[in-house]
Amino acid sequence: MTDAPIGIFDSGVGGLTVARAIKDQLPNESILYIGDTAHSPYGSKKIADVRGFALDVLDDLVAQDVKLLVIACNTASAAMLRDARERYSVPVIEVIQPAVRRAVVTTRNQRVGVIGTVGTVNSRAYNDAFAAAPQISLFSQACPRFVEFVEAGVTTGAELLAVAEEYLAPLRAAEVDTLVLGCTHYPFLRGAISYVMGEGVTLVSSDTETANDVYRVLVSQGLERGRKSPPTYRYEATGDSAEDFLALAHRLIGPEINRVELIETGAINLSALASPPFSVLNPNH
């Protein structure tokens, strides 16, 4: 079991930031990543639909014998975290609590902003998480187009800045000094978000903090991988184009991701695809 990979799930490419952070902190661990690009973005969808999509992907990861699950998607975490922890025997880690803990110790004026998808903001998952820190004044803002920009590979430009100015104006007016990037896609827009919010605002993302939680769980439960062979990294997607996913991953992450495999889960039928899937085995990165 200790040699099994860590399973990471996101609605698209956003969770690659979490995967990269885990690789940096745990270079000896193997990773199996699935992006549900067939249904991305999740943020505008009904919670019941998100729950179904997410559990189908997590079922697939568990069927591939992962030793730990990481829900690298805020919307999915809000929709089905409790279901996942009741459904699976392996540990399940999400991205909301790690970011909240960091924000609480980071803020100086106790005024914290959260940006996320419509689904995440409407779920009030961050409000519930911050309830344990009553001294914090929380200000939430949905930024639905941010995921669309990232999934299109757009991380800069006049249109993005104009949208960011519109979305972030209420948070600037609220004088927050800490801003939680409540979607794993948003770190790819860190430059634009930081530019609009100003140098006095600290951005908090969940990638590094989630990797810290993964480390703690592996050590505390004796699940660390031995060093008998190099780790493997496998990337899968439910969309209809491996090439599109790979091109976007290269643009956002770099050449370390060299192949992606199209898969079928309970939510998407890929049997009609004309081209064969691409398999991944990348032990060098």
Side-chain angles (χ1 to χ4, degrees):
M1 184 64 176
T2 57
D3 285 338
I6 295 168
I8 304 174
F9 151 67
D10 185 60
S11 61
V13 299
L16 292 174
T17 58
V18 176
R20 180 170 56 186
I22 291 173
K23 288 171 62 178
D24 289 343
Q25 290 198 35
L26 296 157
N28 195 46
E29 296 293 338
S30 295
I31 288 174
L32 172 56
Y33 180 97
I34 297 181
D36 190 17
T37 51
H39 302 108
S40 181
Y42 276 8
S44 58
K45 292 180 170 60
K46 295 179 180 178
I47 290 295
D49 292 337
V50 170
R51 179 184 179 276
F53 296 148
L55 289 175
D56 278 332
V57 176
L58 293 179
D59 283 350
D60 187 79
L61 283 168
V62 171
Q64 296 188 65
D65 296 322
V66 299
K67 63 182 176 183
L68 179 146
L69 289 168
V70 179
I71 306 174
C73 174
N74 287 259
T75 305
S77 293
M80 41 65 73
L81 175 61
R82 181 177 298 178
D83 296 294
R85 286 181 169 161
E86 293 177 351
R87 188 181 183 98
Y88 308 115
S89 60
V90 298
V92 180
I93 292 176
E94 49 83 40
V95 290
I96 294 175
Q97 285 288 347
V100 169
R101 289 197 302 268
R102 176 53 54 189
V104 169
V105 300
T106 298
T107 182
R108 303 174 301 280
N109 69 1
Q110 311 306 313
R111 300 175 72 82
V112 175
V114 172
I115 55 175
T117 66
V118 172
T120 296
V121 171
N122 287 347
S123 75
R124 297 183 63 82
Y126 274 95
N127 300 71
D128 293 341
F130 274 105
Q135 75 278 15
I136 300 295
S137 296
L138 186 64
F139 304 87
S140 300
Q141 176 67 39
C143 303
R145 291 195 62 195
F146 278 178
V147 171
E148 297 173 15
F149 279 114
V150 174
E151 291 287 338
V154 177
T155 58
T156 188
E159 183 181 5
L160 171 60
L161 284 175
V163 171
E165 290 276 5
E166 178 184 351
Y167 284 158
L168 302 177
L171 300 177
R172 293 178 61 185
E175 298 182 342
V176 303
D177 75 346
T178 302
L179 180 63
V180 176
L181 307 184
C183 174
T184 50
H185 284 69
Y186 293 178
F188 293 118
L189 305 179
R190 180 182 291 270
I193 295 170
S194 180
Y195 177 80
V196 172
M197 292 301 298
E199 295 181 359
V201 176
T202 301
L203 304 186
V204 173
S205 60
S206 55
D207 46 5
T208 301
E209 301 306 318
T210 300
N212 291 340
D213 276 15
V214 171
Y215 181 91
R216 283 191 287 267
V217 169
L218 292 183
V219 172
S220 65
Q221 299 195 20
L223 294 174
E224 293 173 283
R225 184 175 177 273
R227 297 180 176 271
K228 297 178 182 179
S229 60
T232 60
Y233 304 118
R234 187 180 183 91
Y235 301 90
E236 300 177 346
T238 62
D240 59 4
S241 175
E243 292 87 349
D244 288 349
F245 184 96
L246 192 59
L248 184 56
H250 282 173
R251 181 168 183 174
L252 297 174
I253 294 290
E256 65 184 68
I257 300 174
N258 61 9
R259 291 182 183 178
V260 63
E261 179 180 353
L262 296 177
I263 65 165
E264 179 179 340
T265 71
I268 182 69
N269 183 1
L270 298 173
S271 60
L273 288 176
S275 58
F278 294 82
S279 63
V280 176
L281 187 62
N282 185 5
N284 299 317
H285 298 283

